[in-house]
């Protein structure tokens, strides 16, 4: 009887292992393995593709599931189909095809059946992603949807699958070094009459003020740039700008899938940093901030990088500058500052008594501009910026405060269409007014 019982248990245990692949417990085991083995990479850092890899594989990015890393493949099996990623997706919430849970399911199916990724995941859905990382932040088993989406985009771009306005942005970035195609000289127009120190004049500086493409030429973003420069002067910070020696960080190109255009711009800018001995950088653009902070290290740039809210918020906490005190303002948090780089406190140090919308901090709601979406056609009834504008105005505010030039561009039209008198200001402008700048 004892021997019979022994065999019964052996069969039971072996049977359990045999059916694991078909059971839900498999996801639990894969979730444990995938979270334990998760690479220690910041949310805002995409993988740098070495040229040797392209020469060896003769392809860029992920065409087949086998082109994804072993960890990314394993993470697909960890998905418990909870749907939290889809609940928070700004594209899905306005009726687009993109559904991050489906992306994971389809990638898993493609891996099982050895299918190509782009047709399995839907090209239309892949281009709809703003790379806001809300799905990544929400996923209980730490799946990195954005890595997968961008890796497939990279392969599509390398095969010439991108056309239209986003392809124009890539050409402009390549030819002028400016994402909207402005000539180099226009990067210094905002400086006229302001006596802005330039690195090329040999001035001594502690902080490089990185202006960014929008910050140099978009009329709204230029107001932010002038406010930041004025506040830095008022606080006695020794800063300088690169002016026409600055080129796009390459962030829109990288997240659209043009990896080697990004690498070209990163090398160009990193060599400028080295030439001028840059140790600290401040920028008012969270996309530039993320790229410079998390991605430029791969190109030899070793420096401290600050978003303007961090530097100005710190000056407020030290009593050097005054915080703004608006009466009826609401704060819109940028994805690449508060979620991707987890900086929630700094914008709040710049302003006292500001209202907050339902989605805030790490759970902020995307304006729809990231991942190159700023340059892509948007159906008028499917704009994430409309949904965000409704939520911001529901607070009863007469002023919307932003901390990102992309958010400002995206929210401007939808806010004014709903309320002509609404004011849209960067936190730096609010502080500039308070400090008499
Ligand atoms: S990154 Fe944002 S837009 Fe893209 S799939 Fe995730 S939640 Fe949706
Ligand atoms: S949140 Fe993560 S586990 Fe849940 S459905 Fe999305 S990918 Fe799967």
């Amino acid at each position: 009887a004892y021997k019979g019982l022994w065999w019964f248990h052996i069969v039971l245990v072996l049977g359990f292992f045999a059916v694991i692949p078909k059971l839900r417990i498999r996801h639990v085991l894969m979730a444990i393995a995938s979270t334990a083995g998760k690479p220690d990479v910041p949310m805002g850092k995409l993988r740098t593709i070495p040229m040797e890899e392209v020469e060896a594989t003769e392809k860029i990015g992920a065409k087949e599931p086998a082109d994804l890393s072993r960890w990314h493949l394993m993470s697909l099996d960890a998905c418990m189909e909870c749907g939290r990623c889809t609940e928070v997706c700004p594209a899905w919430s306005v009726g687009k095809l993109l559904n991050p849970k489906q992306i994971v399911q389809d990638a898993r199916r493609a891996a099982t059946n050895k299918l190509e990724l782009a047709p399995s995941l839907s090209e239309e859905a892949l281009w709809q992603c703003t790379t806001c990382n809300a799905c990544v932040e929400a996923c209980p088993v730490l799946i990195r949807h954005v890595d997968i989406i961008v890796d497939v985009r990279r392969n599509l771009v390398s095969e010439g699958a991108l056309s239209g306005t986003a392809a124009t942005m890539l050409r402009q970035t390549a030819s002028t070094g400016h994402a909207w195609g402005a000539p180099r000289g226009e990067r210094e127009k905002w400086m006229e009459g302001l006596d802005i120190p330039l690195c090329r004049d040999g001035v001594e500086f502690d902080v490089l003020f990185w202006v960014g493409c929008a910050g140099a030429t978009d009329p709204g973003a230029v107001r932010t740039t002038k406010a930041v420069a004025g506040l830095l002067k008022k606080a006695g910070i020794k800063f300088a700008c690169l002016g026409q020696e600055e080129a796009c960080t390459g962030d829109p190109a990288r997240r659209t899938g043009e990896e080697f255009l990004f690498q070209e711009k990163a090398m160009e800018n990193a060599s400028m940093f080295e030439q001028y001995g840059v140790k600290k950088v401040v920028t008012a653009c969270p996309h530039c901030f993320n790229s410079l902070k998390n991605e430029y290290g791969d190109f030899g740039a070793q420096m401290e990088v600050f978003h303007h809210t961090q530097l100005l918020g710190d000056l407020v906490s030290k009593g050097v500058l005054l915080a703004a005190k608006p009466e009826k303002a609401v704060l819109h948090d940028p994805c690449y500052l508060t979620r991707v780089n987890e900086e929630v406190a700094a914008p709040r140090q710049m302003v006292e008594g500001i209202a907050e919308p339902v989605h805030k901090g790490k759970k902020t709601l995307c304006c729809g501009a990231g991942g190159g979406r700023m340059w892509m056609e948007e159906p008028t009834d499917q704009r994430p910026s409309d949904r965000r504008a409704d939520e911001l105005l529901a607070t009863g505010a007469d002023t919307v405060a932003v901390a990102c030039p992309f958010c400002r561009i995206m929210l401007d039209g939808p806010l004014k269409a709903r309320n002509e008198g609404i004011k849209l200001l960067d936190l730096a402008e609010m502080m500039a007014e308070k400090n008499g700048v």
Side-chain angles (χ1 to χ4, degrees), residues 79-85 101 104 139-141 143 145:
C79 175
M80 300 181 298
E81 301 177 36
C82 67
R84 288 186 209 174
C85 51
K101 173 181 155 185
V104 172
C139 180
V141 293
I143 292 172
H145 313 66

Side-chain angles (χ1 to χ4, degrees), residues 212-396:
C213 298
T217 58
D218 174 75
V222 162
R223 288 200 282 277
T224 307
T225 305
K226 288 181 176 176
V228 173
L231 288 164
L232 292 176
K233 280 191 178 187
K234 174 111 187 175
I237 306 281
K238 274 168 49 182
F239 73 96
C241 292
L242 283 167
Q244 53 183 282
E245 290 183 303
E246 186 182 301
C248 177
T249 54
D251 159 83
R254 177 170 245 197
R255 284 167 174 76
T256 302
E258 227 311 6
E259 171 65 7
F260 288 97
L261 176 56
F262 162 74
Q263 292 195 15
E264 185 189 310
K265 292 295 141 203
M267 284 188 271
E268 186 183 329
N269 288 318
S271 79
M272 278 291 152
F273 299 150
E274 195 185 350
Q275 182 183 327
Y276 292 120
V278 174
K279 300 275 185 298
K280 273 188 192 175
V281 179
V282 65
T283 177
C285 173
H287 299 271
C288 294
F289 166 67
N290 177 70
S291 206
L292 295 170
K293 181 174 188 276
N294 294 317
E295 299 183 321
Y296 267 48
D298 286 356
F299 303 89
Q302 299 298 333
M303 65 230 171
E304 282 184 278
V305 184
F306 300 93
H307 187 246
H308 73 309
T309 56
Q310 294 177 316
L311 201 126
L312 297 174
D314 186 49
L315 289 168
V316 169
S317 67
K318 287 178 175 149
V320 179
L321 293 171
L322 298 171
K325 281 189 189 167
E327 283 187 4
K328 276 175 77 183
V330 62
L331 177 63
H332 164 73
D333 285 310
C335 300
Y336 271 79
L337 181 68
T338 54
R339 176 161 45 247
V340 176
N341 285 288
E342 299 181 78
E343 181 53 87
V344 178
R348 287 152 180 83
Q349 283 178 319
M350 293 172 72
V351 65
E352 287 176 18
I354 196 159
E356 304 208 13
V358 177
H359 294 91
K360 59 188 177 186
K362 285 189 199 174
K363 309 275 182 204
T364 189
L365 189 56
C366 180
C367 71
R373 290 294 311 169
M374 166 86 83
W375 291 269
M376 294 183 202
E377 307 287 353
E378 196 80 277
T380 49
D381 59 343
Q382 291 183 334
R383 288 183 182 147
S385 52
D386 280 327
R387 184 175 164 220
R388 187 51 163 168
D390 284 336
E391 197 182 276
L392 291 164
L393 291 175
T395 62

Side-chain angles (χ1 to χ4, degrees), residues 123-138:
E123 277 192 43
E124 185 185 344
L126 288 164
W127 294 121
Q128 288 173 342
C129 177
T130 69
T131 71
C132 73
N133 276 282
C135 50
V136 177
E137 203 266 340

Side-chain angles (χ1 to χ4, degrees), residues 189-197 222 225-227 229-230 233 239:
K189 268 199 170 164
W190 70 270
M191 301 176 181
E192 281 166 16
L194 296 178
D195 193 21
I196 301 295
V222 162
T225 305
K226 288 181 176 176
K233 280 191 178 187
F239 73 96

